[in-house]
Amino acid sequence: MPSYRMQIYGWLLLLPAAVLLIAFTHYPTVATLVQSLFLSGSVTRPAVFVGVENYQFMLEDDVFWQAVRNNIWFALGTIPISIALALQMALWVNRRLPARGLVRMAYFTPTILPMIAVANIWLFFYTPGIGLIDQFLGLFGLPGHNWLGDPDTVLACLIVLTIWKEAGFFMIFYLAALQSLPPELEEAGKLEGAGRWYFFWRITFPLLMPTTLFVVINALINSFKLVDHLFILTKGGPNNASTLLLYYIYEVAFSFFDPSYAATLTVALLAFLALVAIGQFVLLDKRIHYR
Amino acid sequence: MSEIVLDHVSKVWGQTTAVDDVSLTAAAGELLVLLGPSGCGKSTSLRMIAGLEEVSAGRILIEGRDVTRLPPAKRRISMVFQSYALFPHLDVAENIVFGLKVRKLKWAERSARLARVAELVGLGELLHRRPAQLSGGQRQRVALARAIVAENPICLMDEPLSNLDAKLRHDMRVEIRALQQRLGMTVVYVTHDQTEAMSMADQVVLMCDGKIVQAGRPEDLYDRPATTFVASFIGTPPMNLIDLTDGPNGAVVAGAAGRAVLQGPGHGLRLGIRPEHLRLADGAGIEGEIVSADYLGADTILTARVGNQSVLLRVPGRSGLATGEPVRIAWSPESVHVFDGTSGRRMEDGRAVPVAA
């Protein structure tokens, strides 16, 4: 077969995947970048090229900065705790314990629930006066609190919900990694007199680092990606105290009908996430042992 | 005194008995090999000595101390695992001194011991490599180094050579034996390879189905196998076990109306004789027919049919015999073993007297 026919053959094999990737990933990314340089048009008025003006506007936008701050707190609040909890749960259900399957399932259940359902469950927990938390506090004669209506507590409430939802998911990865560790390592440790705590920090944890990196990146992406619960619980309020970046982008695009500015915010979010991912791989990759 | 005593030790998992009432003693400075086919309970016995497996019944004593309920770290033992169990993210040096760090030895003492052990097992150049960058034999050496650096008087080895190729296995066998004698360690060594057992052991304990079948020096097991199982497990190729039947002048080989090979009745008895104790004879001997010849270089293993039994012979060099050729096979009476056909037990000498064939 002549070589050009091999070439065509090769390209035809690549075509389906290439079409999907270009149509739904690469084209939208480029289009977003282009659109962020224009001012939104309308039926009567065409879009106008404005260069970096949208970005200048973004930097002066208080709500944008509020969303960034919220998002950083949200990430800092959810990632370390959900990962620590996931690891703890994985270590626990990896041991011999009665009804292990049941415990594993219980830990994983929050993950398989749709976020909307989860948000509705927690809405009931947080409802002032009649909610589960307030009723519980009432047993001890403590006053109720409008958990989601108070700018000081609303973000913490969202963090708790997200940890509850995510920890079980990350646990599955840790559990799989733990089960791939050969049991002789632990036996060798036992013979040498290594205690559980020492062995965990010296052997288990370093060997789990590839999983940890994977989980950290996933958790970080999720903390910028998960907004479903905001629609049910707070809609970003009160006073933007619970607005996260993606939710703000949604509002700008579909409530304020300013797709160009939404595109600008999207580019900023993408750039930030790309930077974080690169940083994580460069910094951590060298120090991680892959088998 | 670093002897190990197993006193009527058993291990039961639910319905299965993995180790059934095993008693043995490994004297100080001795290399004891636990030998047996897979699933015979030898590894479980070793893991009970190590404390990695709980003892269901009986006692284990190390240096006169009852360690049956002690955790592994308190037993003053080292262990080499079949998979080596090296920590993949630590380099060779860190792997070796892992236990010393756990015990918080001073840096100076640690590095002195590391240097000594690395020298002993020949790892000097490789101390900063990771296990993944080492060959199988080098990993084996690291595992060995980690076991001896603790300077425990007792070392347990669980099929340490089974992941190596044949040549390396031979070298390591010699090396482990030399190291054990030089350091005066008491070693319990588990293997399913009778060659390892025969060449290394001071004492061989042959196990089957969780029980000890025979224990003794390698030559005891070779010269006086207690049962047909021992006879067929020790030696390559294994001992011939030939069914006998009654004949006019004494016991004859089943299916062959030839010379008598034993005095008295032969029905229900088995004659044991090693291939290396058989020879091809001109006039005397019993008649047979060559079935196949397996040339190995220094010698040839012949398979001959005698009556309805098949018999292996080891003859020097190339035999030059063709398939189907008639031969006469002879042996001297002192190399004959007699076993009970049903129980498989060795018959005491005197009850059945061999005759020269």
Side-chain angles (χ1 to χ4, degrees), chain A residues 184-185 187-194 198-199 202-203 206-207 289 291, chain B residues 47 73 77 79 81 83 85-89 94 98-99 102-103 130 146:
Chain A
E184 295 90 51
L185 292 187
E187 292 175 350
K190 263 191 207 162
L191 278 160
E192 301 284 9
Y198 184 87
F199 187 81
R202 190 85 201 285
I203 307 294
L207 289 178
H289 172 78
R291 269 168 300 161
Chain B
R47 291 170 59 80
I77 47 167
M79 184 157 169
F81 291 83
S83 61
L86 302 179
F87 305 121
H89 62 298
E94 285 294 323
F98 179 84
V102 171
R103 264 163 278 143
R130 296 266 176 88
R146 187 173 65 185

mmCIF file of all heavy atoms in Angstrom, chain A residues 184-185 187-194 198-199 202-203 206-207 289 291, chain B residues 47 73 77 79 81 83 85-89 94 98-99 102-103 130 146:
data_model
loop_
_atom_site.group_PDB
_atom_site.id
_atom_site.type_symbol
_atom_site.label_atom_id
_atom_site.label_comp_id
_atom_site.label_asym_id
_atom_site.label_seq_id
_atom_site.Cartn_x
_atom_site.Cartn_y
_atom_site.Cartn_z
ATOM 1 N N GLU A 184 3.287 -7.930 52.587
ATOM 2 C CA GLU A 184 4.579 -8.275 53.201
ATOM 3 C C GLU A 184 5.286 -7.023 53.713
ATOM 4 O O GLU A 184 6.082 -7.104 54.650
ATOM 5 C CB GLU A 184 5.533 -8.939 52.195
ATOM 6 C CG GLU A 184 5.067 -10.268 51.690
ATOM 7 C CD GLU A 184 4.219 -10.111 50.453
ATOM 8 O OE1 GLU A 184 4.660 -9.428 49.509
ATOM 9 O OE2 GLU A 184 3.107 -10.643 50.427
ATOM 10 N N LEU A 185 5.022 -5.868 53.076
ATOM 11 C CA LEU A 185 5.677 -4.642 53.540
ATOM 12 C C LEU A 185 5.314 -4.379 54.993
ATOM 13 O O LEU A 185 6.168 -4.055 55.813
ATOM 14 C CB LEU A 185 5.267 -3.450 52.675
ATOM 15 C CG LEU A 185 5.766 -3.461 51.236
ATOM 16 C CD1 LEU A 185 5.436 -2.151 50.556
ATOM 17 C CD2 LEU A 185 7.252 -3.715 51.179
ATOM 18 N N GLU A 187 4.256 -6.575 57.109
ATOM 19 C CA GLU A 187 4.824 -7.633 57.948
ATOM 20 C C GLU A 187 6.300 -7.372 58.213
ATOM 21 O O GLU A 187 6.784 -7.570 59.328
ATOM 22 C CB GLU A 187 4.626 -8.988 57.270
ATOM 23 C CG GLU A 187 3.168 -9.384 57.221
ATOM 24 C CD GLU A 187 2.927 -10.670 56.459
ATOM 25 O OE1 GLU A 187 3.854 -11.170 55.796
ATOM 26 O OE2 GLU A 187 1.802 -11.170 56.516
ATOM 27 N N ALA A 188 7.001 -6.921 57.175
ATOM 28 C CA ALA A 188 8.417 -6.596 57.357
ATOM 29 C C ALA A 188 8.549 -5.483 58.399
ATOM 30 O O ALA A 188 9.433 -5.514 59.251
ATOM 31 C CB ALA A 188 9.029 -6.175 56.028
ATOM 32 N N GLY A 189 7.649 -4.495 58.316
ATOM 33 C CA GLY A 189 7.658 -3.407 59.281
ATOM 34 C C GLY A 189 7.418 -3.904 60.692
ATOM 35 O O GLY A 189 8.093 -3.513 61.641
ATOM 36 N N LYS A 190 6.456 -4.818 60.826
ATOM 37 C CA LYS A 190 6.121 -5.384 62.137
ATOM 38 C C LYS A 190 7.331 -6.093 62.736
ATOM 39 O O LYS A 190 7.606 -5.969 63.923
ATOM 40 C CB LYS A 190 4.989 -6.401 61.983
ATOM 41 C CG LYS A 190 3.624 -5.857 62.278
ATOM 42 C CD LYS A 190 2.656 -7.025 62.352
ATOM 43 C CE LYS A 190 1.249 -6.586 61.991
ATOM 44 N NZ LYS A 190 0.404 -7.730 61.651
ATOM 45 N N LEU A 191 8.043 -6.876 61.897
ATOM 46 C CA LEU A 191 9.199 -7.619 62.388
ATOM 47 C C LEU A 191 10.287 -6.679 62.877
ATOM 48 O O LEU A 191 11.028 -6.982 63.800
ATOM 49 C CB LEU A 191 9.758 -8.501 61.269
ATOM 50 C CG LEU A 191 9.024 -9.822 61.079
ATOM 51 C CD1 LEU A 191 9.291 -10.386 59.713
ATOM 52 C CD2 LEU A 191 9.459 -10.801 62.146
ATOM 53 N N GLU A 192 10.383 -5.519 62.212
ATOM 54 C CA GLU A 192 11.409 -4.560 62.606
ATOM 55 C C GLU A 192 10.956 -3.716 63.781
ATOM 56 O O GLU A 192 11.691 -2.845 64.236
ATOM 57 C CB GLU A 192 11.765 -3.640 61.433
ATOM 58 C CG GLU A 192 12.279 -4.367 60.204
ATOM 59 C CD GLU A 192 13.714 -4.850 60.365
ATOM 60 O OE1 GLU A 192 14.263 -4.768 61.479
ATOM 61 O OE2 GLU A 192 14.281 -5.315 59.371
ATOM 62 N N GLY A 193 9.718 -3.914 64.199
ATOM 63 C CA GLY A 193 9.236 -3.204 65.368
ATOM 64 C C GLY A 193 8.680 -1.812 65.083
ATOM 65 O O GLY A 193 8.581 -0.992 65.986
ATOM 66 N N ALA A 194 8.343 -1.558 63.813
ATOM 67 C CA ALA A 194 7.790 -0.249 63.477
ATOM 68 C C ALA A 194 6.350 -0.168 63.959
ATOM 69 O O ALA A 194 5.541 -1.023 63.624
ATOM 70 C CB ALA A 194 7.845 -0.027 61.967
ATOM 71 N N TYR A 198 4.452 5.208 62.971
ATOM 72 C CA TYR A 198 5.746 5.327 62.278
ATOM 73 C C TYR A 198 5.663 4.719 60.884
ATOM 74 O O TYR A 198 6.093 5.316 59.893
ATOM 75 C CB TYR A 198 6.825 4.618 63.095
ATOM 76 C CG TYR A 198 8.220 4.750 62.528
ATOM 77 C CD1 TYR A 198 9.030 5.831 62.855
ATOM 78 C CD2 TYR A 198 8.726 3.785 61.665
ATOM 79 C CE1 TYR A 198 10.297 5.954 62.338
ATOM 80 C CE2 TYR A 198 9.999 3.897 61.136
ATOM 81 C CZ TYR A 198 10.785 4.985 61.474
ATOM 82 O OH TYR A 198 12.045 5.112 60.956
ATOM 83 N N PHE A 199 5.087 3.513 60.816
ATOM 84 C CA PHE A 199 4.999 2.824 59.536
ATOM 85 C C PHE A 199 4.151 3.622 58.542
ATOM 86 O O PHE A 199 4.485 3.737 57.370
ATOM 87 C CB PHE A 199 4.403 1.434 59.736
ATOM 88 C CG PHE A 199 4.430 0.603 58.491
ATOM 89 C CD1 PHE A 199 5.585 -0.060 58.113
ATOM 90 C CD2 PHE A 199 3.315 0.492 57.683
ATOM 91 C CE1 PHE A 199 5.634 -0.817 56.959
ATOM 92 C CE2 PHE A 199 3.351 -0.263 56.521
ATOM 93 C CZ PHE A 199 4.519 -0.919 56.164
ATOM 94 N N ARG A 202 6.267 6.683 57.422
ATOM 95 C CA ARG A 202 7.515 6.340 56.733
ATOM 96 C C ARG A 202 7.260 5.552 55.449
ATOM 97 O O ARG A 202 7.985 5.707 54.472
ATOM 98 C CB ARG A 202 8.390 5.526 57.688
ATOM 99 C CG ARG A 202 9.796 5.300 57.235
ATOM 100 C CD ARG A 202 10.686 6.454 57.606
ATOM 101 N NE ARG A 202 11.892 6.473 56.773
ATOM 102 C CZ ARG A 202 12.909 5.640 56.923
ATOM 103 N NH1 ARG A 202 12.880 4.749 57.883
ATOM 104 N NH2 ARG A 202 13.943 5.704 56.114
ATOM 105 N N ILE A 203 6.242 4.691 55.436
ATOM 106 C CA ILE A 203 6.047 3.781 54.303
ATOM 107 C C ILE A 203 4.719 4.016 53.585
ATOM 108 O O ILE A 203 4.697 4.345 52.388
ATOM 109 C CB ILE A 203 6.109 2.302 54.763
ATOM 110 C CG1 ILE A 203 7.399 2.051 55.541
ATOM 111 C CG2 ILE A 203 5.975 1.364 53.570
ATOM 112 C CD1 ILE A 203 8.663 2.175 54.729
ATOM 113 N N PRO A 206 4.074 7.774 51.954
ATOM 114 C CA PRO A 206 4.858 8.042 50.737
ATOM 115 C C PRO A 206 4.441 7.174 49.552
ATOM 116 O O PRO A 206 4.426 7.647 48.419
ATOM 117 C CB PRO A 206 6.300 7.710 51.156
ATOM 118 C CG PRO A 206 6.312 7.797 52.627
ATOM 119 C CD PRO A 206 4.946 7.434 53.091
ATOM 120 N N LEU A 207 4.085 5.932 49.830
ATOM 121 C CA LEU A 207 3.677 5.064 48.722
ATOM 122 C C LEU A 207 2.310 5.457 48.179
ATOM 123 O O LEU A 207 1.954 5.103 47.061
ATOM 124 C CB LEU A 207 3.665 3.597 49.169
ATOM 125 C CG LEU A 207 5.050 2.991 49.413
ATOM 126 C CD1 LEU A 207 4.923 1.560 49.894
ATOM 127 C CD2 LEU A 207 5.880 3.045 48.144
ATOM 128 N N HIS A 289 7.173 8.844 44.503
ATOM 129 C CA HIS A 289 7.674 7.581 43.976
ATOM 130 C C HIS A 289 6.551 6.875 43.218
ATOM 131 O O HIS A 289 5.530 6.530 43.792
ATOM 132 C CB HIS A 289 8.169 6.695 45.102
ATOM 133 C CG HIS A 289 8.504 5.331 44.622
ATOM 134 N ND1 HIS A 289 9.668 5.064 43.964
ATOM 135 C CD2 HIS A 289 7.804 4.181 44.631
ATOM 136 C CE1 HIS A 289 9.685 3.805 43.617
ATOM 137 N NE2 HIS A 289 8.558 3.246 44.014
ATOM 138 N N ARG A 291 5.473 3.504 41.169
ATOM 139 C CA ARG A 291 5.977 2.157 40.961
ATOM 140 C C ARG A 291 5.889 1.783 39.497
ATOM 141 O O ARG A 291 5.009 2.199 38.790
ATOM 142 C CB ARG A 291 5.181 1.148 41.782
ATOM 143 C CG ARG A 291 5.835 0.961 43.134
ATOM 144 C CD ARG A 291 4.906 0.208 44.037
ATOM 145 N NE ARG A 291 3.683 0.956 44.202
ATOM 146 C CZ ARG A 291 2.558 0.433 44.630
ATOM 147 N NH1 ARG A 291 2.494 -0.818 44.906
ATOM 148 N NH2 ARG A 291 1.480 1.177 44.799
ATOM 149 N N ARG B 47 5.684 -18.650 59.611
ATOM 150 C CA ARG B 47 5.009 -17.401 59.990
ATOM 151 C C ARG B 47 4.570 -17.433 61.449
ATOM 152 O O ARG B 47 4.459 -16.386 62.084
ATOM 153 C CB ARG B 47 3.834 -17.138 59.061
ATOM 154 C CG ARG B 47 4.295 -16.791 57.629
ATOM 155 C CD ARG B 47 3.140 -16.772 56.654
ATOM 156 N NE ARG B 47 2.127 -15.818 57.046
ATOM 157 C CZ ARG B 47 2.190 -14.526 56.829
ATOM 158 N NH1 ARG B 47 3.210 -14.028 56.190
ATOM 159 N NH2 ARG B 47 1.234 -13.724 57.234
ATOM 160 N N ALA B 73 8.118 -8.179 66.832
ATOM 161 C CA ALA B 73 9.281 -7.345 67.125
ATOM 162 C C ALA B 73 9.978 -7.751 68.421
ATOM 163 O O ALA B 73 11.156 -7.494 68.614
ATOM 164 C CB ALA B 73 8.854 -5.884 67.204
ATOM 165 N N ILE B 77 14.047 -11.693 66.057
ATOM 166 C CA ILE B 77 14.264 -12.489 64.853
ATOM 167 C C ILE B 77 14.304 -11.554 63.648
ATOM 168 O O ILE B 77 13.809 -10.434 63.704
ATOM 169 C CB ILE B 77 13.117 -13.491 64.626
ATOM 170 C CG1 ILE B 77 11.784 -12.771 64.801
ATOM 171 C CG2 ILE B 77 13.226 -14.667 65.571
ATOM 172 C CD1 ILE B 77 10.630 -13.537 64.331
ATOM 173 N N MET B 79 13.739 -11.661 59.190
ATOM 174 C CA MET B 79 13.070 -12.518 58.223
ATOM 175 C C MET B 79 13.362 -12.042 56.814
ATOM 176 O O MET B 79 13.429 -10.850 56.546
ATOM 177 C CB MET B 79 11.570 -12.512 58.479
ATOM 178 C CG MET B 79 10.807 -13.459 57.580
ATOM 179 S SD MET B 79 9.225 -13.933 58.328
ATOM 180 C CE MET B 79 8.437 -14.720 56.960
ATOM 181 N N PHE B 81 11.724 -12.363 53.097
ATOM 182 C CA PHE B 81 10.471 -12.779 52.477
ATOM 183 C C PHE B 81 10.712 -13.268 51.052
ATOM 184 O O PHE B 81 11.663 -12.859 50.394
ATOM 185 C CB PHE B 81 9.489 -11.608 52.436
ATOM 186 C CG PHE B 81 8.993 -11.197 53.786
ATOM 187 C CD1 PHE B 81 9.742 -10.356 54.587
ATOM 188 C CD2 PHE B 81 7.775 -11.639 54.244
ATOM 189 C CE1 PHE B 81 9.286 -9.967 55.828
ATOM 190 C CE2 PHE B 81 7.311 -11.266 55.489
ATOM 191 C CZ PHE B 81 8.066 -10.421 56.285
ATOM 192 N N SER B 83 9.033 -12.453 48.469
ATOM 193 C CA SER B 83 8.962 -11.314 47.547
ATOM 194 C C SER B 83 9.980 -10.238 47.933
ATOM 195 O O SER B 83 9.966 -9.158 47.380
ATOM 196 C CB SER B 83 7.565 -10.717 47.595
ATOM 197 O OG SER B 83 7.303 -10.254 48.900
ATOM 198 N N ALA B 85 10.017 -8.064 50.032
ATOM 199 C CA ALA B 85 9.356 -7.022 50.833
ATOM 200 C C ALA B 85 10.251 -5.803 51.054
ATOM 201 O O ALA B 85 10.327 -5.261 52.150
ATOM 202 C CB ALA B 85 8.888 -7.600 52.174
ATOM 203 N N LEU B 86 10.923 -5.367 50.007
ATOM 204 C CA LEU B 86 11.706 -4.124 50.109
ATOM 205 C C LEU B 86 10.763 -2.946 49.959
ATOM 206 O O LEU B 86 9.767 -3.019 49.253
ATOM 207 C CB LEU B 86 12.773 -4.089 49.011
ATOM 208 C CG LEU B 86 13.752 -5.246 49.022
ATOM 209 C CD1 LEU B 86 14.736 -5.109 47.874
ATOM 210 C CD2 LEU B 86 14.490 -5.310 50.341
ATOM 211 N N PHE B 87 11.110 -1.823 50.623
ATOM 212 C CA PHE B 87 10.272 -0.632 50.508
ATOM 213 C C PHE B 87 10.650 0.100 49.217
ATOM 214 O O PHE B 87 11.774 0.588 49.104
ATOM 215 C CB PHE B 87 10.455 0.258 51.728
ATOM 216 C CG PHE B 87 10.187 -0.478 53.017
ATOM 217 C CD1 PHE B 87 11.153 -0.598 53.987
ATOM 218 C CD2 PHE B 87 8.950 -1.074 53.234
ATOM 219 C CE1 PHE B 87 10.900 -1.298 55.164
ATOM 220 C CE2 PHE B 87 8.689 -1.777 54.404
ATOM 221 C CZ PHE B 87 9.669 -1.882 55.370
ATOM 222 N N PRO B 88 9.742 0.168 48.246
ATOM 223 C CA PRO B 88 10.124 0.606 46.902
ATOM 224 C C PRO B 88 10.570 2.066 46.822
ATOM 225 O O PRO B 88 11.301 2.422 45.904
ATOM 226 C CB PRO B 88 8.853 0.372 46.077
ATOM 227 C CG PRO B 88 7.752 0.244 47.055
ATOM 228 C CD PRO B 88 8.340 -0.256 48.316
ATOM 229 N N HIS B 89 10.152 2.904 47.770
ATOM 230 C CA HIS B 89 10.484 4.328 47.655
ATOM 231 C C HIS B 89 11.747 4.682 48.441
ATOM 232 O O HIS B 89 12.180 5.822 48.425
ATOM 233 C CB HIS B 89 9.315 5.180 48.135
ATOM 234 C CG HIS B 89 8.996 4.936 49.586
ATOM 235 N ND1 HIS B 89 8.602 3.709 50.052
ATOM 236 C CD2 HIS B 89 9.021 5.752 50.638
ATOM 237 C CE1 HIS B 89 8.393 3.790 51.347
ATOM 238 N NE2 HIS B 89 8.641 5.017 51.744
ATOM 239 N N GLU B 94 18.649 2.955 52.995
ATOM 240 C CA GLU B 94 17.515 3.201 53.891
ATOM 241 C C GLU B 94 16.739 1.921 54.164
ATOM 242 O O GLU B 94 16.225 1.711 55.265
ATOM 243 C CB GLU B 94 16.587 4.260 53.287
ATOM 244 C CG GLU B 94 17.129 5.672 53.371
ATOM 245 C CD GLU B 94 17.237 6.155 54.817
ATOM 246 O OE1 GLU B 94 16.351 5.815 55.617
ATOM 247 O OE2 GLU B 94 18.214 6.838 55.143
ATOM 248 N N PHE B 98 16.389 0.382 57.979
ATOM 249 C CA PHE B 98 15.025 0.707 58.409
ATOM 250 C C PHE B 98 14.779 0.313 59.872
ATOM 251 O O PHE B 98 14.340 1.119 60.682
ATOM 252 C CB PHE B 98 14.010 0.008 57.503
ATOM 253 C CG PHE B 98 12.584 0.268 57.882
ATOM 254 C CD1 PHE B 98 11.939 1.403 57.442
ATOM 255 C CD2 PHE B 98 11.880 -0.618 58.699
ATOM 256 C CE1 PHE B 98 10.628 1.657 57.793
ATOM 257 C CE2 PHE B 98 10.568 -0.374 59.059
ATOM 258 C CZ PHE B 98 9.943 0.772 58.597
ATOM 259 N N GLY B 99 15.120 -0.938 60.181
ATOM 260 C CA GLY B 99 14.864 -1.435 61.536
ATOM 261 C C GLY B 99 15.722 -0.746 62.583
ATOM 262 O O GLY B 99 15.300 -0.533 63.711
ATOM 263 N N VAL B 102 14.109 2.462 63.376
ATOM 264 C CA VAL B 102 12.955 2.242 64.247
ATOM 265 C C VAL B 102 13.427 2.130 65.694
ATOM 266 O O VAL B 102 12.832 2.681 66.605
ATOM 267 C CB VAL B 102 12.200 0.958 63.839
ATOM 268 C CG1 VAL B 102 11.134 0.611 64.867
ATOM 269 C CG2 VAL B 102 11.577 1.116 62.467
ATOM 270 N N ARG B 103 14.560 1.422 65.879
ATOM 271 C CA ARG B 103 15.070 1.218 67.235
ATOM 272 C C ARG B 103 15.930 2.400 67.709
ATOM 273 O O ARG B 103 16.544 2.328 68.758
ATOM 274 C CB ARG B 103 15.847 -0.085 67.305
ATOM 275 C CG ARG B 103 14.977 -1.219 67.818
ATOM 276 C CD ARG B 103 15.572 -2.566 67.510
ATOM 277 N NE ARG B 103 15.280 -2.973 66.156
ATOM 278 C CZ ARG B 103 16.130 -3.647 65.384
ATOM 279 N NH1 ARG B 103 17.315 -3.960 65.826
ATOM 280 N NH2 ARG B 103 15.779 -3.982 64.167
ATOM 281 N N ARG B 130 17.443 2.624 44.038
ATOM 282 C CA ARG B 130 16.133 2.162 44.505
ATOM 283 C C ARG B 130 15.958 0.688 44.127
ATOM 284 O O ARG B 130 16.569 0.238 43.167
ATOM 285 C CB ARG B 130 15.019 2.971 43.809
ATOM 286 C CG ARG B 130 15.021 4.436 44.135
ATOM 287 C CD ARG B 130 14.077 4.687 45.299
ATOM 288 N NE ARG B 130 14.120 6.073 45.718
ATOM 289 C CZ ARG B 130 13.349 7.027 45.184
ATOM 290 N NH1 ARG B 130 12.520 6.737 44.224
ATOM 291 N NH2 ARG B 130 13.420 8.256 45.623
ATOM 292 N N ARG B 146 19.243 -6.610 55.094
ATOM 293 C CA ARG B 146 18.312 -6.067 56.070
ATOM 294 C C ARG B 146 18.088 -7.062 57.207
ATOM 295 O O ARG B 146 17.874 -6.680 58.351
ATOM 296 C CB ARG B 146 16.981 -5.720 55.390
ATOM 297 C CG ARG B 146 16.031 -4.997 56.320
ATOM 298 C CD ARG B 146 14.810 -4.502 55.614
ATOM 299 N NE ARG B 146 13.996 -5.600 55.115
ATOM 300 C CZ ARG B 146 12.913 -5.431 54.368
ATOM 301 N NH1 ARG B 146 12.551 -4.224 54.004
ATOM 302 N NH2 ARG B 146 12.215 -6.453 53.957
#
